[in-house]
Amino acid sequence: MRNTFDVSLCPRYIGVCLSLTYLRVLDLSFAQIQSLPDSIYKLEHLRYLDVSSKWLTELPETMWKLHCLQTLICLGSALKRLPKKMRRMSSLRHIEFDVAKRLHLPSGIGELTCLRTLPKFVVGKRSGRRIEELKCLNQLLEDIRIEGLDNISNGVCAREANLKGKQHLHSLELSWPSVEAVAGTRRKAEEVIENLKPQSNLKQLVVENYLGLSLPSWMMMLSNLVDIKLSHCNGCEHLPPLGQLCFLESLKIEEMSAVKYVVEFDGRHNYKGIFPSLKELYLRDMPNLEGWSSLEEDVHGEDGGIEGDEHLIHRHLLHLTIYNCPNMIQLPQLHLLTALECLKMNGVGCAKIELPLSQSLNEVALSNMCNLERCSVQETNGKDNNDQAVFRSLRTLSIFEKSPALKELTIEACSDLVLSLSDGLLEQQQCPPLSTLEVLKIVNSCEKQASLPGDGIVLTSLRKLNIRSCGNLESLSSDGLKNLTTLTIFYCPRVWSSPEWLGKLRSLSNLRASRCPDVTNLPDSIGNLTSLSKLEIEDCPDLRSLPESLGNLKLLKIVTIANCPQVTCFPEGMRHLENLRELSIDRCPNLMR
């Protein structure tokens, strides 16, 4: 008790703490207090102080007298600033606070030469807040984020930060404010970043809002980099040859509007073995990005062939995400990515996608692909494998087996798509297509399709089906959805016009119908869903009655009726639902009387 004290919810215990003069550890992370008493300095043996309480808004200025304090934790607190004389706390080694919050550090933080943890430093223009404060903090561990780099006067001042001397630093984030660049600021930014060279063992690098035309030359000297993120560097037209970083596992590039290619070649480079360790690639908001590599002509020519691009992205890649790159017409050779687990594309300008024949692929999400004409599976030799095609155009989406790991599929904003299996290919199938698919979501798509799933598609493992805004859909095939347990239908007005299909989904346990205009009655066939345990009906303004057959649903436990103003009563048979545990009625004025 003498050395450690945990104050939970009672502020009155603070006084008790202050009487324990030999206290070493004090945890106030759950204390409901707004401030600490000035007399806290009496705890002269205190080594560890956690003030992460969300109620705490200020610390006393007398804290600088805690000369033995080594660790100060401020995570999750409402603090706006730290005590002004903190620079005198010579034993302080760790200051932990939320990087996302604006916590003002005191002037002269550079005097704390034993400091090992400093999550963020904001460069100022005044003495005691300049970049030079970092010069002697060579014991810093793990990571640091440096903001306000526009306040550095020139490269000579930047060099004073001595980032190269911080041998224990593993992660570095460099951030400029988001401002429009002019010629002078571009040149200064280039000079500053060139002189902020870190030590060579750095593992993670983040550069944000950089104004220069080229990234620093020292990036390629950081041979141990594992993670790179480049964001809002809109002046840069070219990327360094990042593929030569042998240990790079994650590359994220976003809002770099001038870049045209991720990998560029000038005819002198050996492109084999590029990105040998890359596992995650993320590209977002790059309006001028035209392709993965500038080697496009060679790849399709006699000399390069498919073998050329084979080495542009390694087969260790697990996650590929490309968002809002409308001019990107040349993708990496996806069919070579045999380890790929997740592919997400939204707003990409390519006309053709060739997916890998992969045992690991478990998520494919394509949306707003305005130019997409063909999406297919290929063997690694580059030849189409028609027996295993996944998609075959925006007008006919053909789905085949041979994707044994695919469990979830989302189709969004593909209005011309028709899910089907052509007769000739149907005869070649020895087992149902996509037999492992468990979750299917169709949003604002398949406007030319009247029934789901399409011809020849039997989703034997499908458990969850979510259909939203499919205006012409009229029915669901019970033969293709034998094991369906959860069905959500949102704004599909025609699907209720001939609802005989509903009673055939005998495995259904959860049914949600929402935004169903012009539906005046639910079908009697709903009474055949003997496994149904949860029923939700929402936003059906013209619905007037519920079928008497609801009384047949002996397993029904939860019923929700919301915003159905015309419904006046429940069917008499619902009185016999012995398992009904929850009945929710919302915005149904005639039903609540």
Side-chain angles (χ1 to χ4, degrees):
M1 178 68 72
R2 184 183 68 175
N3 293 328
T4 303
F5 205 95
D6 181 357
V7 177
S8 53
L9 299 179
C10 299
R12 65 177 181 271
Y13 288 148
I14 296 295
V16 177
C17 296
L18 297 179
S19 65
L20 303 174
T21 55
Y22 289 95
L23 199 65
R24 301 297 200 271
V25 177
L26 178 58
D27 186 349
L28 301 174
S29 57
F30 292 97
Q32 295 183 3
I33 54 175
Q34 293 184 342
S35 61
L36 294 177
D38 291 341
S39 56
I40 193 173
Y41 74 90
K42 295 180 180 179
L43 301 177
E44 57 184 29
H45 297 285
L46 196 64
R47 304 289 197 276
Y48 180 100
L49 177 61
D50 190 338
V51 290
S52 298
S53 169
K54 64 181 180 180
W55 293 277
L56 195 64
T57 59
E58 61 179 346
L59 296 176
E61 291 296 333
T62 55
M63 271 190 59
W64 68 269
K65 297 181 181 180
L66 297 174
H67 296 298
C68 293
L69 191 67
Q70 296 179 359
T71 301
L72 177 64
I73 311 294
C74 309
L75 297 170
S77 71
L79 293 173
K80 300 297 183 183
R81 64 182 69 251
L82 295 177
K84 295 179 181 179
K85 297 182 180 180
M86 182 176 282
R87 64 181 183 275
R88 299 186 182 181
M89 302 173 70
S90 57
S91 298
L92 198 59
R93 297 181 181 182
H94 306 282
I95 307 175
E96 297 188 16
F97 56 88
D98 297 306
V99 174
K101 293 185 178 180
R102 292 195 63 86
L103 178 65
H104 292 279
L105 296 177
S107 175
I109 200 76
E111 296 181 29
L112 302 177
T113 55
C114 293
L115 205 59
R116 296 181 181 181
T117 302
L118 182 65
K120 182 173 70 172
F121 180 78
V122 181
V123 181
K125 294 183 177 180
R126 296 181 179 180
S127 177
R129 300 185 182 277
R130 298 178 183 140
I131 190 68
E132 294 92 325
E133 291 297 311
L134 299 179
K135 181 177 182 178
C136 297
L137 302 184
N138 291 331
Q139 300 300 316
L140 287 177
L141 302 173
E142 298 301 328
D143 53 83
I144 186 172
R145 177 180 174 86
I146 307 177
E147 296 182 356
L149 294 176
D150 59 313
N151 289 324
I152 301 178
S153 301
N154 50 55
V156 175
C157 295
R159 195 181 304 124
E160 288 295 308
N162 189 28
L163 296 185
K164 189 176 181 179
K166 296 166 181 35
Q167 297 297 316
H168 307 293
L169 204 61
H170 291 163
S171 176
L172 174 64
E173 298 186 24
L174 302 175
S175 179
W176 280 257
S178 181
V179 296
E180 185 175 351
V182 295
T185 57
R186 287 190 189 278
R187 287 193 296 270
K188 188 178 83 166
E190 292 172 352
E191 183 182 350
V192 166
I193 199 171
E194 195 65 42
N195 285 278
L196 289 175
K197 180 181 178 180
Q199 56 95 7
S200 59
N201 289 320
L202 199 73
K203 303 295 185 183
Q204 182 181 36
L205 176 66
V206 177
V207 180
E208 296 178 354
N209 301 318
Y210 172 60
L211 306 176
L213 297 177
S214 61
L215 289 163
S217 60
W218 48 256
M219 278 187 68
M220 297 311 302
M221 301 178 188
L222 306 178
S223 57
N224 292 305
L225 275 176
V226 174
D227 190 331
I228 294 178
K229 180 180 178 181
L230 305 175
S231 178
H232 294 79
C233 304
N234 289 315
C236 297
E237 296 183 0
H238 307 281
L239 295 174
L242 302 175
Q244 297 177 14
L245 297 172
C246 296
F247 299 105
L248 188 65
E249 295 182 3
S250 176
L251 176 59
K252 298 179 182 179
I253 306 174
E254 57 185 21
E255 298 193 51
M256 293 186 66
S257 58
V259 171
K260 292 185 177 182
Y261 299 101
V262 177
V263 180
E264 296 193 53
F265 297 93
D266 58 9
R268 295 173 297 174
H269 291 78
N270 178 7
Y271 51 76
K272 293 187 177 181
I274 285 180
F275 291 112
S277 302
L278 195 65
K279 295 181 179 179
E280 179 184 17
L281 176 62
Y282 180 93
L283 307 174
R284 182 175 70 85
D285 293 330
M286 302 177 70
N288 289 312
L289 188 67
E290 297 179 4
W292 167 248
S293 76
S294 60
L295 196 65
E296 180 180 8
E297 295 181 1
D298 293 336
V299 168
H300 298 286
E302 296 181 358
D303 296 333
I306 206 69
E307 292 82 4
D309 199 39
E310 181 177 1
H311 300 278
L312 296 186
I313 184 167
H314 203 267
R315 297 184 184 183
H316 291 163
L317 194 71
L318 302 178
H319 301 273
L320 175 59
T321 303
I322 307 177
Y323 287 163
N324 196 22
C325 299
N327 290 313
M328 189 177 187
I329 58 175
Q330 179 220 358
L331 297 175
Q333 293 291 336
L334 298 180
H335 69 277
L336 300 172
L337 308 180
T338 54
L340 194 66
E341 296 179 356
C342 177
L343 173 65
K344 294 182 180 180
M345 291 189 185
N346 186 322
V348 181
C350 60
K352 180 173 68 172
I353 295 178
E354 297 170 348
L355 296 175
L357 180 58
S358 171
Q359 299 292 319
S360 58
L361 187 63
N362 55 46
E363 183 176 359
V364 177
L366 307 176
S367 59
N368 299 313
M369 306 288 287
C370 300
N371 299 325
L372 187 63
E373 296 176 356
R374 177 181 176 84
C375 184
S376 63
V377 167
Q378 284 196 357
E379 296 277 16
T380 55
N381 59 12
K383 297 180 180 179
D384 281 324
N385 191 338
N386 289 328
D387 290 345
Q388 297 148 5
V390 177
F391 304 116
R392 182 155 298 186
S393 78
L394 284 177
R395 294 180 178 165
T396 303
L397 177 58
S398 300
I399 303 180
F400 293 81
E401 183 65 13
K402 306 302 183 183
S403 295
L406 190 63
K407 298 185 183 301
E408 183 172 347
L409 177 64
T410 298
I411 302 171
E412 183 174 350
C414 298
S415 58
D416 291 333
L417 221 50
V418 177
L419 298 173
S420 67
L421 191 63
S422 63
D423 292 340
L425 292 172
L426 178 59
E427 296 175 357
Q428 302 174 22
Q429 293 298 303
Q430 298 178 355
C431 55
L434 286 178
S435 61
T436 61
L437 194 66
E438 296 178 357
V439 180
L440 174 60
K441 184 176 182 180
I442 303 175
V443 181
N444 195 24
S445 300
C446 306
E447 291 296 325
K448 297 182 179 181
Q449 190 153 357
S451 179
L452 286 174
D455 296 338
I457 299 176
V458 181
L459 305 176
T460 54
S461 297
L462 195 69
R463 299 293 185 267
K464 295 183 180 181
L465 176 60
N466 190 323
I467 309 171
R468 300 172 66 91
S469 303
C470 298
N472 294 315
L473 185 65
E474 295 179 359
S475 66
L476 300 180
S477 169
S478 59
D479 291 335
L481 302 170
K482 292 183 178 180
N483 297 310
L484 191 68
T485 59
T486 300
L487 174 62
T488 300
I489 300 178
F490 182 94
Y491 194 66
C492 301
R494 294 191 180 185
V495 79
W496 303 106
S497 59
S498 53
E500 294 80 13
W501 55 267
L502 181 61
K504 299 178 181 179
L505 301 176
R506 299 301 178 89
S507 298
L508 208 61
S509 60
N510 295 276
L511 173 62
R512 181 187 179 194
S514 182
R515 290 284 303 274
C516 304
D518 302 324
V519 175
T520 57
N521 299 284
L522 290 180
D524 286 330
S525 61
I526 197 174
N528 297 330
L529 304 179
T530 54
S531 298
L532 199 68
S533 61
K534 184 176 182 180
L535 174 64
E536 297 176 85
I537 304 172
E538 303 171 345
D539 300 317
C540 300
D542 297 320
L543 184 66
R544 298 185 179 182
S545 64
L546 302 175
E548 280 292 334
S549 61
L550 284 180
N552 300 333
L553 305 179
K554 302 303 183 182
L555 299 181
L556 197 61
K557 297 180 180 179
I558 301 174
V559 175
T560 299
I561 310 292
N563 197 22
C564 301
Q566 302 298 324
V567 178
T568 58
C569 64
F570 286 109
E572 188 68 19
M574 286 189 64
R575 295 178 179 270
H576 307 295
L577 298 178
E578 297 179 354
N579 289 308
L580 190 63
R581 298 290 182 266
E582 180 177 334
L583 177 61
S584 177
I585 304 172
D586 183 28
R587 289 167 294 164
C588 301
N590 294 321
L591 190 58
M592 298 174 66
R593 291 177 180 175

